[in-house]
Amino acid sequence: MEIRHLVTFQAILETGSYTGAAVNLGYTQSTLTAHIQALESEIGGPLFTYVERKLQLTPLGRELIPLAEDLLSTRDQIRNMKHSKKMSGTLTIAAPESLTISMLGPILQDYSLQYPEVKLVVTNGTCGENQSDVLSGRVDIAFMIYPDFQQEKCLHYSLGLEDIVLVTHPDGPDHFSEIKQMKPVYLTNEKGCSYRMMYEKHLMKQGLEFPTMELWSIEAIKQMVMSGLGFAALPSRTVQQEIKNGRVKKVAHEESFSPLYSHMLIRNKKWLSPAVEAFLNTVMSKITEVEKM
């Protein structure tokens, strides 16, 4: 197996065709075909197939993606090895929207100032999707809000308890007992979100049901709460400023929610790249600063 065969495979993925990959790489199509055939012979099955004349990945091809990305990333790191202390490369991070907008900003800012040569790619997904991406190798680091759990297939860091609060319009009810009687709209985000699942399980245990509106972002949820449309259950860190400014009201309650925590998962390799290790140190340093405040 040769690295150039994996480069060809990745180029076809990026362009969606043999023709586009040939143009980008400066190869003839027959050379590209030979590369893929050699790779398929080595692996033991087809990587691509045509469905209605459209190029599609086979299951084997999908399995190869994270492994090829890993090998090519390692190759790039080896190429960029220098005696200087400059750190370079690409760091891919997956995080739920709640942590992206409330926690990651200062961390990414500090990291970028210290290591400007490292390209940061941040993707957004549900906590389950982010965990799957780090385990499959699609990303280097994943953040989650989830119940306490143990993960042996990657490095796992618990970053602290996440307080979930109920919020409503500033002129809305002060206590959840009033919300139970009024039955306002329950404003929430996409299915698969950990704190949505936690809160809806809590409602089901109590036999409570509210008309539900599903929105595409936390910012949209907050805007609808501020307009007086209904109430929401959100991580406290995402609405701290709005509560402080009086734009939304924190609703008092005697409810006992299942605890949720923020977590960081890192791909478990025999060694951590300098970029990943530096990011880990930045995160833990920031967490320590917050705890001391």
Side-chain angles (χ1 to χ4, degrees):
M1 186 183 300
E2 298 184 31
I3 288 290
R4 59 182 179 151
H5 297 164
L6 295 174
V7 171
T8 295
F9 173 71
Q10 191 174 61
I12 294 171
L13 291 178
E14 291 171 353
T15 62
S17 70
Y18 278 68
T19 303
V23 171
N24 284 0
L25 297 176
Y27 290 149
T28 64
Q29 285 202 42
S30 61
T31 299
L32 255 69
T33 300
H35 286 184
I36 296 302
Q37 287 176 344
L39 200 51
E40 290 174 336
S41 176
E42 185 81 22
I43 294 172
L47 299 173
F48 296 101
T49 187
Y50 283 93
V51 178
E52 295 180 354
R53 302 181 69 181
K54 186 176 180 181
L55 191 66
Q56 301 282 348
L57 272 168
T58 65
L60 192 62
R62 284 192 290 272
E63 284 186 49
L64 179 60
I65 291 175
L67 301 174
E69 288 177 346
D70 196 16
L71 279 170
L72 293 176
S73 175
T74 301
R75 178 205 61 171
D76 292 341
Q77 290 172 25
I78 293 171
R79 280 181 170 177
N80 292 328
M81 287 176 68
K82 297 176 182 177
H83 292 294
S84 70
K85 293 184 179 180
K86 277 191 176 181
M87 202 179 296
S88 60
T90 299
L91 194 62
T92 54
I93 303 162
E97 182 192 14
S98 54
L99 292 181
T100 301
I101 65 177
S102 63
M103 184 180 79
L104 275 185
I107 291 170
L108 296 176
Q109 182 182 34
D110 277 11
Y111 187 85
S112 296
L113 288 173
Q114 291 184 71
Y115 311 106
E117 301 297 320
V118 178
K119 178 183 177 182
L120 295 173
V121 178
V122 182
T123 65
N124 174 246
T126 65
C127 295
E129 290 168 344
N130 295 341
Q131 183 179 14
S132 176
D133 282 347
V134 77
L135 289 174
S136 68
R138 296 289 293 172
V139 301
D140 300 305
I141 299 166
F143 288 88
M144 306 165 57
I145 292 180
Y146 217 66
D148 200 17
F149 75 109
Q150 297 298 319
Q151 175 54 260
E152 297 179 356
K153 293 183 179 179
C154 58
L155 302 179
H156 174 210
Y157 300 84
S158 183
L159 305 180
L161 183 68
E162 287 290 333
D163 185 27
I164 306 299
V165 297
L166 304 180
V167 291
T168 189
H169 186 268
D171 296 328
D174 295 315
H175 199 279
F176 188 61
S177 58
E178 299 173 68
I179 289 180
K180 291 179 184 179
Q181 297 173 356
M182 295 169 60
K183 296 287 185 182
V185 174
Y186 165 51
L187 301 160
T188 188
N189 47 7
E190 77 275 17
K191 291 180 179 178
C193 169
S194 56
Y195 50 88
R196 173 180 175 173
M197 290 191 294
M198 179 278 293
Y199 188 62
E200 290 183 350
K201 284 180 181 177
H202 175 79
L203 293 177
M204 287 177 64
K205 285 181 181 178
Q206 295 200 27
L208 296 173
E209 192 172 340
F210 296 91
T212 300
M213 179 180 290
E214 187 175 300
L215 294 163
W216 60 92
S217 71
I218 290 176
E219 187 58 39
I221 293 171
K222 291 193 288 188
Q223 290 297 324
M224 292 300 102
V225 169
M226 284 185 262
S227 74
L229 182 59
F231 79 103
L234 293 170
S236 174
R237 65 167 74 236
T238 65
V239 285
Q240 284 177 345
Q241 200 61 43
E242 288 81 3
I243 293 172
K244 183 179 178 181
N245 295 339
R247 299 173 70 192
V248 301
K249 179 194 292 184
K250 183 178 176 181
V251 179
H253 63 84
E254 281 81 40
E255 312 295 307
S256 180
F257 301 150
S258 299
L260 296 175
Y261 302 84
S262 53
H263 305 268
M264 178 172 64
L265 305 178
I266 298 177
R267 292 183 62 191
N268 193 3
K269 298 182 179 180
K270 291 182 179 179
W271 57 273
L272 293 181
S273 72
V276 170
E277 192 167 357
F279 189 84
L280 168 61
N281 293 335
T282 302
V283 171
M284 301 314 291
S285 174
K286 272 294 179 186
I287 296 299
T288 302
E289 284 180 19
V290 171
E291 289 175 349
K292 289 180 179 179
M293 293 176 62

